[in-house]
Amino acid sequence: PTPFSKLMAHPTPTSQVDILIGQLTFGSHVQIHTKIGNFEGVVDCVDTKAGLVALDTGNKRMTFISLHNIDGGVRVINKGTKPVPKAKMSIDIKTVQERERQAIEQRRQEASKIGVGVSPHAQAIFNRLSKLFPDSTRWDGKTIVIMETRIGPPYKPESCVGGTKEQLERVRKMVETMNVR
């Protein structure tokens, strides 16, 4: 393959490019002679801003040719009869707004799981607990609240208070296990 910089070394004057574009109509079967070889295929797209033509060369292959590399001209084998496909731009604004609302809500929920001014150890404990109890774990300042039990600094089993006796014991055991690791 020839490097792109070499291909663009001697660009074709703009007026010649305009003539070439007129020959490259959508759906036309063409032969294109370039500085690096000859190409044959069906014109799929002409991008005047990028200066490229896309040829469907068969077997699900596309070849992109710089308009500035065409030096031997274009031979039209069959003129295209297919109309240029028009993009169907149909945007349902309600769907877009709903996706935006959901994304904002998800980011708020993610942000609420980040403790402000807490140690990495405290954040790690919170992350583990919130995976086990995603709907019942939250921050209240520097205190982790899980169900009705609160875990304050230094985030040890003896730092757990509140909730029912069963909840308190369960949370203490989990915190103890997490502190061992």
Side-chain angles (χ1 to χ4, degrees), residues 170-181:
R170 186 172 184 189
V171 171
R172 280 184 175 159
K173 283 181 183 178
M174 289 188 288
V175 172
E176 182 176 1
T177 305
M178 291 174 199
N179 278 313
V180 170
R181 292 183 182 182

Side-chain angles (χ1 to χ4, degrees), residues 74-85:
V74 175
R75 186 174 135 230
V76 179
I77 297 169
N78 279 330
K79 188 83 170 150
T81 57
K82 297 188 239 173
V84 176

Side-chain angles (χ1 to χ4, degrees), residues 93-111:
I93 195 69
K94 289 182 181 179
T95 302
V96 171
Q97 289 171 335
E98 179 59 21
R99 284 184 186 169
E100 178 185 35
R101 187 196 64 71
Q102 288 173 352
I104 290 169
E105 180 59 29
Q106 181 180 358
R107 296 302 181 263
R108 282 186 181 140
Q109 288 176 358
E110 289 170 3

Side-chain angles (χ1 to χ4, degrees), residues 13-27:
T14 306
S15 59
Q16 287 178 316
V17 170
D18 292 338
I19 293 168
L20 293 172
I21 291 171
Q23 296 174 317
L24 297 167
T25 56
F26 178 78

Side-chain angles (χ1 to χ4, degrees), residues 13-116:
T14 306
S15 59
Q16 287 178 316
V17 170
D18 292 338
I19 293 168
L20 293 172
I21 291 171
Q23 296 174 317
L24 297 167
T25 56
F26 178 78
S28 294
H29 184 188
V30 297
Q31 280 184 338
I32 299 176
H33 307 285
T34 70
K35 297 171 185 171
I36 60 169
N38 298 328
F39 299 91
E40 183 175 331
V42 177
V43 176
D44 189 66
C45 175
V46 179
D47 187 337
T48 56
K49 287 186 179 183
L52 293 172
V53 60
L55 286 185
D56 181 350
T57 54
N59 294 329
K60 298 180 182 179
R61 293 188 52 154
M62 297 294 285
T63 301
F64 297 92
I65 301 169
S66 169
L67 295 172
H68 300 289
N69 285 329
I70 299 174
D71 68 349
V74 175
R75 186 174 135 230
V76 179
I77 297 169
N78 279 330
K79 188 83 170 150
T81 57
K82 297 188 239 173
V84 176
K86 298 202 184 321
K88 294 181 180 178
M89 296 299 289
S90 175
I91 298 174
D92 181 4
I93 195 69
K94 289 182 181 179
T95 302
V96 171
Q97 289 171 335
E98 179 59 21
R99 284 184 186 169
E100 178 185 35
R101 187 196 64 71
Q102 288 173 352
I104 290 169
E105 180 59 29
Q106 181 180 358
R107 296 302 181 263
R108 282 186 181 140
Q109 288 176 358
E110 289 170 3
S112 72
K113 293 181 179 185
I114 299 171
V116 178

